[in-house]
Amino acid sequence: MSTPRLLIAYDGSPNARTAVQVAAALFPGAEAVVFFARQPMEGFAAHLQGHPVLERLEGVDAALLDASEQIAAAGAELAATLGLRAEPVVSSSVVSASEAIIAAAEDRDSSLIVLGSRGRRGLAATVLGSTSANVLHHATRPTLVIPSDAVAAARSAANQG
């Protein structure tokens, strides 16, 4: 079997770090794209064309791109220290994070999408959405969702009780 090509969704959260750690343990030495799906200001600011505030927003967008690149680089560095051959990638498409993750996995012919889950349920999941659930339900590639440490501990405790 060839070495898998992983696309690891990474946003810098503890859940994303756990996903990187699990991916590295399951697939030592694999190729990995550590992917950050950034939401650019373009869509948000489209109605402000010609307005003076747009210049300030463009400055904010440039700072967000820089921060996004730093987050992706930190994730790739973590993956590399854990033995993966990792490359940071930032998406700047005007789509949802789940759509950007799925598209990146297709574009890069990834063998597996790996992402963490915060474990939101009920109203929080409905209002805030769930990137992991959307990717899981819409991806055409195999997808591995890693529960957050808190969710895994809660499920473990519930199963023991």
Side-chain angles (χ1 to χ4, degrees):
M1 182 181 215
S2 64
T3 302
R5 289 177 313 281
L6 310 176
L7 183 122
I8 304 172
Y10 188 83
D11 62 4
S13 69
N15 310 315
R17 286 192 294 277
T18 299
V20 171
Q21 293 164 344
V22 170
L26 290 174
F27 306 101
E31 295 176 29
V33 168
V34 178
F35 183 77
F36 182 81
R38 166 182 110 75
Q39 303 299 300
M41 300 293 282
E42 295 166 3
F44 171 76
H47 67 283
L48 295 175
Q49 197 65 31
H51 195 283
V53 76
L54 187 58
E55 284 183 34
R56 286 187 297 220
L57 289 177
E58 288 170 352
V60 169
D61 195 42
L64 288 173
L65 176 59
D66 185 51
S68 299
E69 289 170 346
Q70 290 176 24
I71 290 168
E77 185 177 319
L78 172 63
T81 63
L82 295 169
L84 296 174
R85 291 176 288 148
E87 164 195 5
V89 172
V90 174
S91 161
S92 290
S93 58
V94 186
V95 295
S96 69
S98 58
E99 291 170 316
I101 291 164
I102 292 167
E106 291 294 329
D107 291 347
R108 294 177 172 276
D109 194 27
S110 300
S111 309
L112 179 69
I113 300 170
V114 180
L115 66 165
S117 171
R118 290 182 174 87
R120 288 187 183 126
R121 292 181 147 182
L123 184 61
T126 302
V127 172
L128 299 173
S130 171
T131 298
S132 59
N134 286 333
V135 170
L136 191 60
H137 292 295
H138 298 286
T140 60
R141 307 252 168 199
T143 303
L144 177 61
V145 178
I146 310 299
S148 70
D149 291 337
V151 168
R155 287 178 183 161
S156 208
N159 289 336
Q160 292 175 5

